[in-house]
Amino acid sequence: MEKINALDTEVFYWINQHHCTLADYVLYTFTHHWMWVLVLVAIFVWAVAKDKKMWWAVLLGIALCFLLADRISVLCFKDVFQRLRPCHALPDVRMIFGMGCGGQYGFVSSHAANSFALAIFLTLWCGKKMKIKAIPYIAFTWAILTSYSRPYLGKHYPGDIICGALLGLLLGCLVYLIVNYVFTKVSYNKVTAEHKL
């Protein structure tokens, strides 16, 4: 465990200390919640334009991804493991634009869990089921940039990001299965009711 922590710290410093002005602005932007809203609204509108019957399934999936990934990352990981964020635990952590450190604990990254849960759900639902081929590329590029921004901005160790991303992928797949089951049930019941009429 000591070797893993040492490697995690070494990689964190490498990411945190290697920077340029353009990357500062790009990654600072990707870490903010308004950017999440912009990306998700754009994907939602795109999905609705493609198939108006599926709007509620896309919305349900996005809501469940946020609910599960955010709560589980905090209640089952941060509150249990209580691993201090690097900006609370290490010296010489580079913080930009006067950003604060945030909450005390960082394992696992909620940003990574949320973004990867959404990315895999949107890939499976919008990319695979709705045949919107560009969605997987957009969703995973956004998730990767958002996740990379966390050690870059001094908020998380790379290990926090990797574990958060794995948690997010698992939860996103689970949400897809739930939404697909509900959508199939609702569609079946609707067709059955129309036949009875």
Side-chain angles (χ1 to χ4, degrees):
M1 187 58 74
E2 286 181 11
K3 288 182 179 179
I4 293 172
N5 281 330
L7 178 62
D8 210 15
T9 301
E10 185 179 341
V11 176
F12 165 78
Y13 271 126
W14 189 91
I15 294 170
N16 183 251
Q17 302 299 325
H18 284 79
H19 61 95
C20 68
T21 304
L22 177 61
D24 285 354
Y25 282 102
V26 170
L27 295 173
Y28 178 76
T29 300
F30 268 87
T31 201
H32 281 290
H33 292 109
W34 63 263
M35 183 64 175
W36 291 51
V37 173
L38 186 65
V39 170
L40 292 173
V41 167
I43 290 174
F44 177 73
V45 170
W46 194 353
V48 170
K50 175 81 173 176
D51 189 340
K52 293 179 176 61
K53 295 177 184 176
M54 291 193 182
W55 71 268
W56 64 268
V58 177
L59 196 60
L60 176 62
I62 290 172
L64 282 175
C65 283
F66 267 122
L67 178 67
L68 292 175
D70 193 67
R71 290 295 81 208
I72 289 173
S73 66
V74 173
L75 299 175
C76 298
F77 289 89
K78 284 180 180 163
D79 290 349
V80 173
F81 292 96
Q82 298 186 348
R83 185 188 195 195
L84 290 174
R85 291 176 185 264
C87 47
H88 285 307
L90 300 175
D92 303 320
V93 173
R94 187 182 65 88
M95 310 288 287
I96 62 171
F97 305 134
M99 291 183 74
C101 193
Q104 194 172 8
Y105 305 123
F107 182 82
V108 298
S109 166
S110 296
H111 274 71
N114 280 315
S115 60
F116 273 92
L118 288 161
I120 192 65
F121 168 75
L122 292 169
T123 293
L124 293 171
W125 191 269
C126 298
K128 186 178 176 183
K129 199 174 186 76
M130 298 179 70
K131 310 297 185 191
I132 307 176
K133 294 181 181 179
I135 294 290
Y137 301 103
I138 294 168
F140 274 102
T141 299
W142 166 66
I144 290 166
L145 283 171
T146 298
S147 296
Y148 186 80
S149 75
R150 307 311 286 162
Y152 186 90
L153 299 172
K155 305 281 191 174
H156 287 281
Y157 293 98
D160 301 342
I161 302 302
I162 293 168
C163 293
L166 291 173
L167 174 65
L169 290 170
L170 178 66
L171 293 174
C173 289
L174 176 63
V175 168
Y176 172 77
L177 293 174
I178 293 169
V179 173
N180 191 46
Y181 175 80
V182 172
F183 185 80
T184 303
K185 277 283 189 184
V186 169
S187 299
Y188 174 78
N189 290 339
K190 189 175 180 181
V191 170
T192 304
E194 286 173 355
H195 281 326
K196 287 180 179 179
L197 292 175

